[in-house]
Amino acid sequence: MAAARERFCRYSYDDVGLRQVANDAGVDAALISRYFGSKEDLFVAVLGSCEAGADLFDGPRESFGRRVADRVVFHRKEGAALQGMQIMLRSIGSTRAIELVRASGNERFFDPFVAWLGGTDAAIRAQLATSLVMGMTVSRELSGFEPCGRSSEAMRDRLAVMLQALVDDADTTPAQA
């Protein structure tokens, strides 16, 4: 699993073969096939081993924005959390891989987030919040942003307001706003 996760982090789905993963793991490719089946099945297992982000819903709704913004701004993604993001980004170019990423993401994160949000336009609000969090995470990694001082606190505070507004907006439709 670790060898497959590393391989899918570094290369696109279409550029990864079971033999390569087996070689990285020091086993025969038949062993991977026996335990995981196809490359597609192995990829799904790897996605399932990465952080889903559903722990963002742990805690009171009233502090969601602040809690998540603090995490995005001040806590760098590492390990399996960052690997999951890398795998998702590398999968964009593969029609089959992106379908698998969407299915896994919907099952493990997006659908539970929509249910947790509830109310009017929950799917839209979940998409907006997810886009903010993912965009900030990718931007942070690409820019090398290191949190320090008042500008980081201001960034966290502004992001917290935007995220919390999406959580609190359960009973407001765009026509009512």
Side-chain angles (χ1 to χ4, degrees):
M1 183 66 75
R5 190 174 24 245
E6 272 300 313
R7 181 69 60 171
F8 286 121
C9 279
R10 288 192 314 243
Y11 304 100
S12 72
Y13 175 85
D14 295 332
D15 292 336
V16 173
L18 288 182
R19 284 192 181 101
Q20 295 166 319
V21 174
N23 187 49
D24 293 350
V27 300
D28 189 86
L31 189 64
I32 294 176
S33 294
R34 179 176 179 198
Y35 285 100
F36 293 100
S38 66
K39 177 173 88 168
E40 184 175 299
D41 295 330
L42 177 61
F43 187 71
V44 169
V46 166
L47 291 173
S49 73
C50 296
E51 178 185 279
D55 62 323
L56 296 176
F57 319 135
D58 294 343
R61 290 176 70 89
E62 303 79 39
S63 64
F64 175 84
R66 175 71 179 218
R67 198 172 57 248
V68 174
D70 190 72
R71 185 168 157 177
V72 169
V73 173
F74 292 108
H75 303 283
R76 183 171 226 101
K77 279 190 169 281
E78 296 177 335
L82 186 57
Q83 287 178 328
M85 179 80 66
Q86 290 170 324
I87 291 168
M88 285 190 297
L89 292 173
R90 294 220 189 275
S91 299
I92 290 172
S94 169
T95 303
R96 185 61 190 139
I98 200 64
E99 289 173 10
L100 298 170
V101 167
R102 284 181 186 141
S104 176
N106 286 342
E107 178 184 326
R108 298 175 62 229
F109 178 79
F110 193 74
D111 293 344
F113 190 22
V114 170
W116 182 81
L117 281 173
T120 306
D121 295 329
I124 293 169
R125 293 181 294 114
Q127 185 66 53
L128 289 168
T130 301
S131 296
L132 280 169
V133 170
M134 288 183 72
M136 287 295 298
T137 302
V138 170
S139 175
R140 179 181 172 170
E141 293 302 319
L142 291 176
S143 70
F145 171 79
E146 289 297 329
C148 61
R150 293 168 47 111
S151 64
S152 297
E153 291 169 1
M155 181 183 294
R156 182 221 28 230
D157 294 346
R158 286 177 183 256
L159 180 59
V161 168
M162 290 185 276
L163 291 170
Q164 194 63 46
L166 292 168
V167 169
D168 294 341
D169 194 27
D171 297 321
T172 305
T173 63
Q176 293 171 324

